[in-house]
Amino acid sequence: MVVMKFGGTSVGSAEAIKRVCEIIKTRVENDPIIVVSAVGGITNKFVSIIENSAKKNKNNVQDILAEIGKRHEEIINGLGLEQNEGLKILLCETLQGIENIADKISQAGDLAKHLHDELMSMGELLSANIVAEYLKSIGLEGKFADSRDVMVTDSQFTKAVPQFEESQKNTQQYLKPLVGKYIPVMQGFIGRDSFGRITTLGRGGSDYTATLIGAMLNADVVEIWSDVDGVLTADPSLVKEAKRIKYMSFQEASELAYFGAKVLHPSTLLPAVERNIPVHVLNSMRQTDGGTVIAGSTPNGKQEGCIVKSIAYKEELVVITVMSTRMLMAHGFLASIFEIFNRYAVPVDLVSTSEVTVSLTINRTDHLENITRELGRFAQVRVEQNKSVVCLVGEQMKSTQGMPGELFSLLKDIDIHLISQGASEINISFVIDDKALPKVVSRLHNHYFSGELDPEIFAV
């Protein structure tokens, strides 16, 4: 069994969907389950509808609705499905549903989060039905399988957390009987809470849906299809010479995802790791390329010298430094600090401590004023904005002698505000100014990846 997820660009046009279905055709003997995102660009239009509805710009809402309808009509017609009455009715009802939600937002003057999620779910509803109907038209047994009947979440709208056991029961009851008999096509990103209200899983939600379904059905592999060749050695927008990585461990890929690599969301890999299901990252525009295989173990590389697998980064972070002599020889001080961040549900990325100082990074500023005020009650607080964390990832990073010295000798002209090593065997992370990021990433990549690379690990 294979779970195949296709992103927005992969289903962004009639020609793209035809390519996707040709790929699916090659997996028919493997009992595929398909998970799709909304048509590329449609989610942004939903955001525009929300913004204009809140401002009572009804004419703008109508214009965007017309664009959404036209885009989907063009795809349906381009696939030769213009006579498909079911799709015509679905598109009409969906556009009416979007308009109804827009009216509710306009009347209220603001956005209730449950309306946000209900609206955002409609793009995936359309794309999944279109793909299923096109599969039928080319002689494959495509069948729409509604994720809302399968994926149970909590009620944290816009960032709902799947409830695995309840969802697995639904998967066994509603989805498993379809596998092998049909090719189920599901919406990514979407679920329902225990009250039946539509929820969304947040950024990276479609990938997360795919690995969750894979784990619930104990699939042989999960394939993530997008418009990139796989996981790369660096962000190609900063490093044109970035190389494709053929194999990565779960641990390496998880670190990269957490520290900003854009191919995978941090949550995506968790279900696959727990069930030891390989994840393949592939390019739907170039399906013959090998992509990246992420698994529990990787081939033993023969390369000497370069233990770095990839360089990731996060921009626009805030460094908060807390200083207090009360910390010296005192227990409970760190707990007091982190209890404040916990209260405001603000994740902390990196932490560095000394006898009387704690420095940490966050990437959310919505509660920054409240956090600094509460910290200031028992310590001096310094806040520095416009920072970036750079993360070098590779197996055996910690055990390689001289690695930190080599790294920081390359950056002797760069201001480094915080360093983290030792918490993980496979990464070294440090914080720099945002403006230094392009220079730092390019310099490190040139040093670690410009020489001869192991062809078993890297596409060279």
Side-chain angles (χ1 to χ4, degrees):
M1 185 188 305
V2 56
V3 179
M4 308 173 71
K5 178 266 176 178
F6 293 94
T9 53
S10 297
V11 295
S13 67
E15 289 305 312
I17 290 175
K18 289 177 182 178
R19 272 196 305 271
V20 160
C21 291
E22 287 300 313
I23 295 170
I24 293 170
K25 190 184 293 185
T26 68
R27 305 291 198 272
V28 169
E29 293 184 359
N30 303 107
D31 295 337
I33 301 167
I34 313 305
V35 176
V36 297
S37 298
V39 167
I42 291 300
T43 300
N44 290 337
K45 292 190 182 298
F46 287 152
V47 172
S48 295
I49 285 177
I50 290 170
E51 293 171 349
N52 281 281
S53 298
K55 296 175 183 176
K56 304 185 186 302
N57 294 331
K58 190 171 180 64
N59 289 337
N60 289 353
V61 170
Q62 292 298 320
D63 290 343
I64 299 167
L65 270 172
E67 292 172 8
I68 292 171
K70 181 181 178 182
R71 179 85 180 277
H72 286 89
E73 282 179 1
E74 288 175 348
I75 291 174
I76 290 168
N77 294 342
L79 294 171
L81 299 173
E82 59 269 19
Q83 301 304 317
N84 189 306
E85 290 300 320
L87 285 180
K88 286 182 182 179
I89 293 170
L90 175 67
L91 181 56
C92 183
E93 290 178 346
T94 302
L95 292 173
Q96 185 60 57
I98 295 169
E99 186 172 12
N100 292 342
I101 293 173
D103 287 342
K104 290 178 183 178
I105 297 170
S106 181
Q107 291 166 14
D110 60 9
L111 175 64
K113 286 187 175 181
H114 73 276
L115 290 178
H116 170 282
D117 283 10
E118 187 176 348
L119 179 61
M120 287 297 183
S121 73
M122 293 184 176
E124 279 77 8
L125 178 67
L126 289 171
S127 62
N129 275 278
I130 290 171
V131 171
E133 291 301 310
Y134 182 67
L135 284 169
K136 288 181 190 176
S137 75
I138 62 173
L140 299 176
E141 295 292 335
K143 186 176 183 64
F144 173 65
D146 199 335
S147 292
R148 296 171 297 185
D149 294 333
V150 173
M151 197 65 65
V152 181
T153 75
D154 65 11
S155 300
Q156 295 186 72
F157 297 103
T158 75
K159 53 181 179 180
V161 177
Q163 308 299 292
F164 191 89
E165 290 186 6
E166 295 174 67
S167 299
Q168 187 168 35
K169 289 178 184 177
N170 290 343
T171 301
Q172 297 295 323
Q173 182 176 353
Y174 297 115
L175 185 58
K176 190 173 182 180
L178 303 178
V179 178
K181 184 177 180 182
Y182 300 99
I183 300 176
V185 184
M186 309 178 66
Q187 318 99 298
F189 179 61
I190 308 300
R192 271 199 179 108
D193 70 4
S194 59
F195 301 100
R197 298 173 297 185
I198 296 173
T199 57
T200 62
L201 308 187
R203 189 172 69 85
S206 293
D207 292 351
Y208 195 17
T209 300
T211 54
L212 281 166
I213 295 298
M216 291 171 190
L217 292 177
N218 198 28
D220 298 303
V221 64
V222 174
E223 297 178 350
I224 307 293
W225 292 85
S226 65
D227 58 352
V228 297
D229 292 337
V231 182
L232 304 180
T233 51
D235 182 347
S237 68
L238 294 184
V239 181
K240 294 179 181 178
E241 303 80 16
K243 308 287 194 298
R244 174 171 62 87
I245 305 166
K246 293 182 179 180
Y247 296 97
M248 300 195 78
S249 68
F250 283 132
Q251 291 78 12
E252 289 172 327
S254 296
E255 293 280 357
L256 283 177
Y258 184 78
F259 282 100
K262 298 175 177 59
V263 176
L264 292 171
H265 187 265
S267 300
T268 298
L269 292 173
L270 292 177
V273 172
E274 291 172 358
R275 298 300 174 95
N276 196 29
I277 300 171
V279 176
H280 294 195
V281 182
L282 299 152
N283 189 341
S284 63
M285 312 298 176
R286 291 194 287 271
Q287 55 262 41
T288 57
D289 287 358
T292 299
V293 177
I294 302 169
S297 59
T298 61
N300 292 322
K302 299 174 182 176
Q303 184 165 315
E304 296 181 2
C306 181
I307 58 165
V308 179
K309 193 73 68 78
S310 187
I311 303 168
Y313 65 88
K314 280 186 182 179
E315 296 178 276
E316 299 178 359
L317 300 182
V318 176
V319 176
I320 300 176
T321 301
V322 182
M323 299 160 285
S324 175
T325 54
R326 291 171 56 187
M327 182 178 172
L328 188 64
M329 303 296 291
H331 69 276
F333 186 82
L334 287 176
S336 300
I337 292 174
F338 288 107
E339 196 279 328
I340 293 171
F341 289 93
N342 180 61
R343 193 180 312 143
Y344 291 101
V346 174
V348 173
D349 292 320
L350 295 183
V351 180
S352 179
T353 67
S354 68
E355 288 86 350
V356 295
T357 304
V358 179
S359 290
L360 48 84
T361 65
I362 60 173
N363 62 2
R364 279 178 46 194
T365 59
D366 46 341
H367 297 292
L368 182 59
E369 184 176 345
N370 291 332
I371 288 171
T372 53
R373 183 180 64 252
E374 292 199 34
L375 290 171
R377 291 173 181 165
F378 57 84
Q380 293 177 291
V381 182
R382 183 175 72 244
V383 176
E384 300 171 281
Q385 302 201 40
N386 302 315
K387 305 301 179 188
S388 294
V389 59
V390 179
C391 176
L392 274 66
V393 171
E395 291 178 330
Q396 301 177 341
M397 187 84 73
K398 182 178 177 180
S399 60
T400 301
Q401 292 184 348
M403 179 64 194
E406 177 183 86
L407 168 62
F408 293 114
S409 69
L410 294 168
L411 305 177
K412 56 188 176 183
D413 60 331
I414 303 295
D415 290 332
I416 297 176
H417 302 277
L418 189 155
I419 299 168
S420 176
Q421 190 206 7
S424 167
E425 289 279 351
I426 62 173
N427 93 49
I428 298 177
S429 305
F430 55 93
V431 175
I432 59 174
D433 296 326
D434 278 343
K435 62 184 180 182
L437 183 65
K439 179 198 298 185
V440 167
V441 173
S442 179
R443 185 183 297 177
L444 293 176
H445 192 276
N446 183 63
H447 177 77
Y448 288 110
F449 298 103
S450 62
E452 185 176 347
L453 298 176
D454 185 350
E456 286 192 33
I457 303 298
F458 302 95
V460 295

